[in-house]
């Protein structure tokens, strides 16, 4: 327990024991950072990963915390287990953690559409956190960032349909994809050959349709189908029509999206801007004179979702549609930070 | 004339004298390449540029052609003048070239909306080339690539509205922007500071709203307004509602776009695919099983526009909308190649 003592000293005696499953992955690292940044009270932190990573240590609040191998016995005494190691691991170990008495907050897609598992973006539907099965699902990164920006409009006006085109970062495919983007780009600049191994297409100075499998029937890929289903669930609009195209662009860790929102009745552009300026977790970045709008380089590493380019959609003569551009850190609001916010809401 | 002799030998005696205004720019270089690739018959080629570039030579069909300074006397004996040196140069020297007897094909925005100047994408509205004032306008790069992909659908069915999100390359901002993207990206990988000078925002692993000035009234930028106006004109649909968001992404020379097309009546996905597979200047790249769709890296340097991801828009419950993803070389079909195709049509 030597490694844990600085943490215990820093927190209240009755603070929870927190475990991170998948601690060494791209999101795992950000979970540790989010717990630090948000000063989450905990009595000890347990870092769990595959046998391959066990034995390493990782820094948390100045202490070196050992990485332990994830096993069926890992959850004894754990109060909150933050899972981010893929759907297969969540399906196997999530119920084991619940049986051991832990509250699971799961970043994978394993339980997101289960009726007894709330799918939560605290700024949007934090009220759904109660009455659950021991597992709370953290949404897909696009759905989380999107719904934070839609929530202030959705609360005041009825959305009739959505049209979305995404500009998605490498981080959604993990740390290895981020490194492949860096290495492939360096090779391209230096004129060297480079064969991608993590992602299916060249990423240097290129974009491609999201690498999730494509449904042969509808032509939509798995990422798009997740965003549609999860956005409907988070907004409690089970039949909301959503059209979406998900594209990977050579960005490291922030997602952006061009969104057209059609409402039941015309919504004034100025009113929408005022609602978004006050939105929880949102920052309005909408300076036409300076041509300054949401950008990945300005949201990366930050907690807020940026929204701007608020304007009437010239493609809808009825005047019922507005266009927006949205950006957010994929690893923070799109994953780790949202999970920690759920943990905060649980304690509140 | 020593430099010109290899060209004269290669072409018919009554072939035209061709001049390129802005020969050393990103599009100018591709105009030379397109004349070569398409084996355009000409009796001599004159390369015109600013005084700064005069004195250089550039390779054309194995001969070294001198770059001359553009002056009011540059067009004596010129039959076809291909302009690509910005709207200010076109406004000044276009009429001078016409007065000297040249047919002007202008790549700038200077004359695109003039009633007596045809705005031409040969595959789409090549029939409008006749009866003109001596100037033919080459469209904005997004409008050219977009309308090639829309034309087969537009000919058969009435388009009711369009929704477009673009993924635009550095090349649209010129050769210096392409170099800034390379250098800024290298600096980012190496952890060095880099201050952009050509474009207003960092470009390395970043995207940003198109750098054209934003109309303070509507919130649309100049690029978006051009695409709307030019697409309407090329399709001869002056009131077509078009919503669009133009975004620069870190790609060197190919534009891509996610497009939702709403028709007056439902259009079958299979019929659309068949029409697009036969479309002039188009290649269908639509392999769901292999997750292989249009990509900048596969259209760069090529003449065809790629179209794929053809599917019903799940955001339109009426079933009248289809979604497409389109990519084309910004410097070729988006600029130089289209201008050379116009020159070919003029001679035919």
């Amino acid at each position: 327990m030597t490694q844990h003592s600085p943490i215990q000293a820093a927190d209240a005696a009755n603070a929870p024991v927190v475990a991170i499953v998948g601690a060494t992955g791209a999101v795992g690292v950000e979970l540790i950072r989010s717990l630090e940044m948000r000063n989450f009270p905990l009595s000890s932190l347990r870092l769990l990963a595959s046998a391959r990573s066990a034995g390493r240590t990782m820094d948390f609040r100045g202490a070196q915390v050992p990485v332990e191998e994830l096993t069926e016995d890992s959850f004894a005494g754990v109060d909150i287990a933050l899972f981010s190691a893929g759907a297969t691991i969540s399906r196997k170990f999530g119920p084991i953690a619940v049986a051991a008495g832990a509250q699971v907050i799961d970043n994978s897609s394993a339980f997101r559409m289960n009726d007894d598992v709330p799918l939560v973006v605290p700024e949007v539907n934090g009220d759904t956190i109660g009455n659950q099965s021991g597992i709370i699902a953290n949404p897909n990164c696009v759905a989380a960032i999107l719904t934070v920006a839609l929530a202030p409009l959705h609360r005041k006006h009825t959305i009739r349909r959505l049209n979305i085109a995404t500009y998605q970062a490498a981080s959604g495919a993990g740390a290895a994809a981020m490194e492949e983007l860096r290495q492939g780009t360096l090779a391209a600049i230096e004129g060297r050959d480079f064969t991608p191994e993590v992602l299916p297409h060249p990423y240097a100075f290129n974009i491609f349709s999201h690498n999730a499998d494509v449904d042969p029937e509808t032509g939509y890929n798995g990422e798009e189908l997740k965003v549609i289903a999860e956005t409907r669930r988070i907004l409690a609009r089970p039949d909301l029509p959503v059209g979406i195209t998900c594209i990977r662009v050579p960005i490291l860790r922030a997602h952006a999206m061009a969104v057209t929102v059609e409402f039941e009745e015309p919504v004034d552009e100025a009113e929408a801007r005022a609602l978004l300026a006050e939105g929880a977790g949102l920052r309005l970045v909408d300076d036409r004179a300076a041509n300054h709008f949401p950008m990945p380089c300005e949201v990366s590493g930050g907690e807020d979702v940026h929204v701007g380019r608020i304007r009437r959609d010239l493609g809808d003569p009825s005047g019922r549609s507005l266009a927006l551009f949205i950006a957010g850190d994929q690893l923070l609001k799109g994953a780790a930070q949202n999970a920690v916010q759920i943990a905060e809401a649980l304690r509140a």
Side-chain angles (χ1 to χ4, degrees), chain A:
Chain A
M1 290 296 287
T2 326
Q3 299 94 337
H4 293 192
S5 53
I7 299 164
Q8 291 177 304
D11 290 308
N14 64 348
V17 174
V18 174
I20 296 177
V21 178
T24 58
V27 174
V29 169
E30 300 295 331
L31 281 166
I32 297 173
R33 193 169 154 241
S34 280
L35 291 170
E36 286 180 329
M37 280 174 63
R38 301 180 69 88
N39 203 25
F40 186 86
L42 51 80
S43 62
S44 82
L45 180 66
R46 302 189 60 181
L47 303 181
L48 304 170
S50 66
R52 194 163 39 89
S53 295
R56 291 177 51 178
T57 64
M58 298 177 80
D59 190 82
F60 178 66
R61 295 182 183 162
Q64 290 301 310
V65 182
V67 177
E68 303 166 58
E69 182 181 354
L70 171 66
T71 70
E72 301 197 4
D73 302 321
S74 294
F75 299 97
V78 170
D79 298 301
I80 298 174
L82 303 167
F83 273 70
S84 188
T88 307
I89 294 289
S90 291
R91 272 191 213 99
K92 176 170 178 193
F93 288 95
I96 292 171
V98 172
Q103 167 66 56
V104 169
I105 300 172
D106 182 33
N107 193 50
S108 84
S109 62
F111 308 109
R112 286 181 190 151
M113 299 311 289
N114 287 20
D115 282 342
D116 60 348
V117 173
L119 178 67
V120 178
V121 179
E123 295 92 336
V124 184
N125 66 340
D127 57 310
T128 63
I129 285 184
N131 298 324
Q132 27 74 33
S133 59
I135 301 176
I136 298 175
N138 203 39
N140 166 282
C141 42
V142 172
I145 292 166
L146 172 68
T147 54
V148 166
L150 292 179
L153 305 172
H154 159 72
R155 285 205 185 94
K156 200 77 187 294
H157 300 282
T158 305
I159 295 174
R160 177 184 272 189
R161 57 195 268 213
L162 295 173
N163 184 296
I164 304 159
T166 71
Y167 303 72
Q168 293 184 236
S171 54
M178 297 169 76
E179 189 55 23
E180 182 163 288
L181 171 56
R182 281 192 207 91
Q183 293 306 322
T185 304
L186 184 59
I189 293 172
E190 293 177 346
R192 286 184 284 111
D193 284 343
F194 185 87
T195 305
E197 290 173 1
V198 180
L199 288 165
H201 301 294
Y203 210 165
F205 304 118
N206 191 37
I207 69 171
F208 50 88
S209 193
H210 192 284
N211 47 292
D213 284 351
V214 180
D215 174 27
E217 204 64 39
T218 62
Y220 283 74
N221 62 49
E223 179 80 352
E224 292 162 347
L225 295 173
K226 279 183 200 171
V227 177
I228 295 171
E230 296 182 26
T231 298
R232 289 171 169 171
R233 191 159 184 228
I234 296 164
L235 297 180
R237 289 288 309 278
D239 301 314
L240 182 67
V242 181
I244 181 165
T245 301
C246 285
I247 302 291
R248 282 222 195 269
V249 299
I251 295 174
L252 287 163
R253 57 174 289 162
H255 284 357
M257 54 203 88
V259 180
T260 308
V261 189
E262 182 177 325
F263 297 94
E264 288 293 341
E265 303 293 339
V267 174
D268 186 66
E269 185 186 305
E271 186 207 341
R273 190 171 289 108
L275 288 170
L276 292 168
E278 297 297 315
L282 275 179
R283 186 182 304 172
L284 186 70
V285 181
D286 200 26
D287 186 341
R288 291 176 180 177
N291 203 330
H292 184 201
F293 302 108
M295 288 192 286
C297 70
E298 292 190 342
V299 295
S300 292
E303 296 201 318
D304 285 341
V305 169
H306 290 195
V307 61
R309 294 222 71 198
I310 301 158
R311 62 203 195 281
R312 190 146 301 290
D313 169 30
L314 298 179
D316 181 1
S318 78
R320 284 195 305 257
S321 299
L322 293 176
L324 314 171
F325 199 71
I326 302 165
D329 187 301
Q330 190 271 332
L331 294 170
L332 293 178
K333 188 60 202 175
Q337 170 194 328
N338 194 71
V340 173
Q341 288 176 281
I342 292 171
E344 290 168 352
L346 274 173
R347 281 182 54 81

PDB file of all heavy atoms in Angstrom, chain A residues 105-116:
ATOM      1  N   ILE A 105     -18.938   2.256 -14.584  1.00  0.00           N
ATOM      2  CA  ILE A 105     -19.181   3.278 -15.613  1.00  0.00           C
ATOM      3  C   ILE A 105     -18.395   2.817 -16.831  1.00  0.00           C
ATOM      4  O   ILE A 105     -17.168   2.739 -16.802  1.00  0.00           O
ATOM      5  CB  ILE A 105     -18.733   4.671 -15.137  1.00  0.00           C
ATOM      6  CG1 ILE A 105     -19.510   5.050 -13.862  1.00  0.00           C
ATOM      7  CG2 ILE A 105     -18.961   5.707 -16.245  1.00  0.00           C
ATOM      8  CD1 ILE A 105     -19.013   6.319 -13.200  1.00  0.00           C
ATOM      9  N   ASP A 106     -19.132   2.471 -17.887  1.00  0.00           N
ATOM     10  CA  ASP A 106     -18.517   1.730 -18.991  1.00  0.00           C
ATOM     11  C   ASP A 106     -18.408   2.591 -20.236  1.00  0.00           C
ATOM     12  O   ASP A 106     -19.407   3.070 -20.762  1.00  0.00           O
ATOM     13  CB  ASP A 106     -19.359   0.485 -19.296  1.00  0.00           C
ATOM     14  CG  ASP A 106     -18.735  -0.334 -20.411  1.00  0.00           C
ATOM     15  OD1 ASP A 106     -17.488  -0.346 -20.495  1.00  0.00           O
ATOM     16  OD2 ASP A 106     -19.482  -0.932 -21.205  1.00  0.00           O
ATOM     17  N   ASN A 107     -17.190   2.713 -20.726  1.00  0.00           N
ATOM     18  CA  ASN A 107     -16.956   3.542 -21.915  1.00  0.00           C
ATOM     19  C   ASN A 107     -17.136   2.771 -23.221  1.00  0.00           C
ATOM     20  O   ASN A 107     -17.022   3.359 -24.295  1.00  0.00           O
ATOM     21  CB  ASN A 107     -15.542   4.135 -21.826  1.00  0.00           C
ATOM     22  CG  ASN A 107     -15.328   5.244 -22.820  1.00  0.00           C
ATOM     23  OD1 ASN A 107     -16.133   6.157 -22.903  1.00  0.00           O
ATOM     24  ND2 ASN A 107     -14.268   5.149 -23.609  1.00  0.00           N
ATOM     25  N   SER A 108     -17.395   1.482 -23.160  1.00  0.00           N
ATOM     26  CA  SER A 108     -17.552   0.711 -24.403  1.00  0.00           C
ATOM     27  C   SER A 108     -19.001   0.755 -24.877  1.00  0.00           C
ATOM     28  O   SER A 108     -19.878   1.306 -24.214  1.00  0.00           O
ATOM     29  CB  SER A 108     -17.145  -0.745 -24.168  1.00  0.00           C
ATOM     30  OG  SER A 108     -18.236  -1.477 -23.628  1.00  0.00           O
ATOM     31  N   SER A 109     -19.237   0.140 -26.037  1.00  0.00           N
ATOM     32  CA  SER A 109     -20.598   0.102 -26.574  1.00  0.00           C
ATOM     33  C   SER A 109     -21.403  -1.080 -26.035  1.00  0.00           C
ATOM     34  O   SER A 109     -22.557  -1.258 -26.397  1.00  0.00           O
ATOM     35  CB  SER A 109     -20.531   0.017 -28.106  1.00  0.00           C
ATOM     36  OG  SER A 109     -19.878  -1.185 -28.484  1.00  0.00           O
ATOM     37  N   ALA A 110     -20.794  -1.878 -25.115  1.00  0.00           N
ATOM     38  CA  ALA A 110     -21.400  -3.161 -24.712  1.00  0.00           C
ATOM     39  C   ALA A 110     -22.833  -3.035 -24.195  1.00  0.00           C
ATOM     40  O   ALA A 110     -23.690  -3.849 -24.527  1.00  0.00           O
ATOM     41  CB  ALA A 110     -20.517  -3.838 -23.658  1.00  0.00           C
ATOM     42  N   PHE A 111     -23.098  -2.025 -23.367  1.00  0.00           N
ATOM     43  CA  PHE A 111     -24.403  -1.974 -22.672  1.00  0.00           C
ATOM     44  C   PHE A 111     -25.223  -0.747 -23.037  1.00  0.00           C
ATOM     45  O   PHE A 111     -26.268  -0.497 -22.448  1.00  0.00           O
ATOM     46  CB  PHE A 111     -24.165  -1.983 -21.150  1.00  0.00           C
ATOM     47  CG  PHE A 111     -23.285  -3.095 -20.664  1.00  0.00           C
ATOM     48  CD1 PHE A 111     -21.990  -2.841 -20.213  1.00  0.00           C
ATOM     49  CD2 PHE A 111     -23.747  -4.410 -20.674  1.00  0.00           C
ATOM     50  CE1 PHE A 111     -21.175  -3.879 -19.765  1.00  0.00           C
ATOM     51  CE2 PHE A 111     -22.930  -5.443 -20.231  1.00  0.00           C
ATOM     52  CZ  PHE A 111     -21.643  -5.184 -19.774  1.00  0.00           C
ATOM     53  N   ARG A 112     -24.739   0.053 -24.008  1.00  0.00           N
ATOM     54  CA  ARG A 112     -25.345   1.368 -24.233  1.00  0.00           C
ATOM     55  C   ARG A 112     -26.812   1.332 -24.619  1.00  0.00           C
ATOM     56  O   ARG A 112     -27.534   2.292 -24.368  1.00  0.00           O
ATOM     57  CB  ARG A 112     -24.574   2.119 -25.331  1.00  0.00           C
ATOM     58  CG  ARG A 112     -23.228   2.634 -24.878  1.00  0.00           C
ATOM     59  CD  ARG A 112     -22.560   3.391 -26.026  1.00  0.00           C
ATOM     60  NE  ARG A 112     -21.174   3.704 -25.729  1.00  0.00           N
ATOM     61  CZ  ARG A 112     -20.229   3.826 -26.659  1.00  0.00           C
ATOM     62  NH1 ARG A 112     -20.534   3.631 -27.941  1.00  0.00           N
ATOM     63  NH2 ARG A 112     -19.004   4.137 -26.319  1.00  0.00           N
ATOM     64  N   MET A 113     -27.242   0.257 -25.265  1.00  0.00           N
ATOM     65  CA  MET A 113     -28.636   0.212 -25.690  1.00  0.00           C
ATOM     66  C   MET A 113     -29.480  -0.695 -24.779  1.00  0.00           C
ATOM     67  O   MET A 113     -30.637  -0.969 -25.086  1.00  0.00           O
ATOM     68  CB  MET A 113     -28.729  -0.212 -27.160  1.00  0.00           C
ATOM     69  CG  MET A 113     -28.012   0.745 -28.121  1.00  0.00           C
ATOM     70  SD  MET A 113     -28.421   2.520 -27.877  1.00  0.00           S
ATOM     71  CE  MET A 113     -30.107   2.538 -28.480  1.00  0.00           C
ATOM     72  N   ASN A 114     -28.917  -1.144 -23.643  1.00  0.00           N
ATOM     73  CA  ASN A 114     -29.706  -1.940 -22.693  1.00  0.00           C
ATOM     74  C   ASN A 114     -30.700  -1.047 -21.957  1.00  0.00           C
ATOM     75  O   ASN A 114     -30.314  -0.001 -21.421  1.00  0.00           O
ATOM     76  CB  ASN A 114     -28.786  -2.590 -21.642  1.00  0.00           C
ATOM     77  CG  ASN A 114     -27.980  -3.740 -22.212  1.00  0.00           C
ATOM     78  OD1 ASN A 114     -27.805  -3.832 -23.433  1.00  0.00           O
ATOM     79  ND2 ASN A 114     -27.488  -4.608 -21.340  1.00  0.00           N
ATOM     80  N   ASP A 115     -31.945  -1.479 -21.893  1.00  0.00           N
ATOM     81  CA  ASP A 115     -32.977  -0.663 -21.247  1.00  0.00           C
ATOM     82  C   ASP A 115     -32.664  -0.353 -19.792  1.00  0.00           C
ATOM     83  O   ASP A 115     -33.027   0.711 -19.294  1.00  0.00           O
ATOM     84  CB  ASP A 115     -34.337  -1.379 -21.321  1.00  0.00           C
ATOM     85  CG  ASP A 115     -34.962  -1.248 -22.703  1.00  0.00           C
ATOM     86  OD1 ASP A 115     -34.526  -0.352 -23.451  1.00  0.00           O
ATOM     87  OD2 ASP A 115     -35.859  -2.047 -23.018  1.00  0.00           O
ATOM     88  N   ASP A 116     -32.014  -1.289 -19.092  1.00  0.00           N
ATOM     89  CA  ASP A 116     -31.759  -1.062 -17.660  1.00  0.00           C
ATOM     90  C   ASP A 116     -30.402  -0.419 -17.397  1.00  0.00           C
ATOM     91  O   ASP A 116     -29.960  -0.345 -16.254  1.00  0.00           O
ATOM     92  CB  ASP A 116     -31.913  -2.368 -16.865  1.00  0.00           C
ATOM     93  CG  ASP A 116     -30.942  -3.439 -17.338  1.00  0.00           C
ATOM     94  OD1 ASP A 116     -30.323  -3.257 -18.412  1.00  0.00           O
ATOM     95  OD2 ASP A 116     -30.805  -4.465 -16.643  1.00  0.00           O
TER      96      ASP A 116
END
